[in-house]
Amino acid sequence: MPLVQVTRRAHFCAAHRLHRDDWSEERNRAVFGDCSNPNWHGHNYTLDVTVEGPVDPETGFVMDLKALKRAMAEQVVDDLDHCNLNLEVSWLEGIIPSTENVAVAIWERLAAALPDAVRLARVHLRETPNNSVVYTGG
Ligand code: NI
């Protein structure tokens, strides 16, 4: 049975700040740069989620992309879009909302929400046109 990967894209806009309370302002500024701005800043994120599984001989699909779209909306995008990642998202509480950390948190939410026939293969979170991270589990 051939295993095929399928990717669905979503977009969201969110504000954040990269900052450690246990560091001085100088150290925060040195490490996090503009992303430590106390008055927040925002990004237009692009999220590509890839699942892998066998092709269902009846439908020709690995997974119904409508179901993947719904899972991404319910588990991730509806919670993050137009929100402050530091203040408003319960499942990001206590973590620095770097692209890396947000990608791992997204993985954990989606992995638990997918049908048994597929496995989550890749979460690709793009924060800016030039910066993105990939998490493949593990
Ligand atoms: Ni930022």
Side-chain angles (χ1 to χ4, degrees):
M1 189 79 93
L3 290 177
V4 177
Q5 295 191 344
V6 175
T7 301
R8 170 82 197 177
R9 175 167 289 182
H11 300 276
F12 60 92
C13 308
H16 76 164
R17 181 191 187 197
L18 305 185
H19 173 85
R20 293 193 65 95
D21 287 337
D22 57 338
W23 287 2
S24 67
E25 278 311 310
E26 293 69 32
R27 190 171 176 194
N28 273 292
R29 182 57 74 169
V31 172
F32 296 125
D34 289 344
C35 278
S36 73
N37 174 17
N39 293 316
W40 317 103
H41 66 279
H43 296 284
N44 297 321
Y45 291 90
T46 300
L47 171 64
D48 285 322
V49 172
T50 302
V51 300
E52 181 182 87
V55 178
D56 184 320
E58 280 192 316
T59 60
F61 294 162
V62 169
M63 181 181 174
D64 181 349
L65 279 184
K66 295 189 298 298
L68 181 55
K69 177 188 178 184
R70 197 179 317 121
M72 289 167 68
E74 290 174 358
Q75 297 298 319
V76 177
V77 175
D78 292 353
D79 284 351
L80 304 185
D81 194 29
H82 288 76
C83 285
N84 182 313
L85 303 183
N86 297 72
L87 301 179
E88 296 181 277
V89 184
S90 61
W91 46 273
L92 293 177
E93 242 175 64
I95 70 166
I96 295 174
S98 63
T99 321
E100 292 89 330
N101 282 341
V102 175
V104 172
I106 288 172
W107 172 286
E108 283 162 4
R109 289 184 64 78
L110 286 175
L114 293 176
D116 290 341
V118 299
R119 74 167 191 93
L120 188 54
R122 187 172 188 258
V123 167
H124 183 183
L125 183 61
R126 185 173 296 282
E127 190 180 71
T128 74
N130 294 328
N131 298 342
S132 70
V133 310
V134 170
Y135 184 55
T136 55

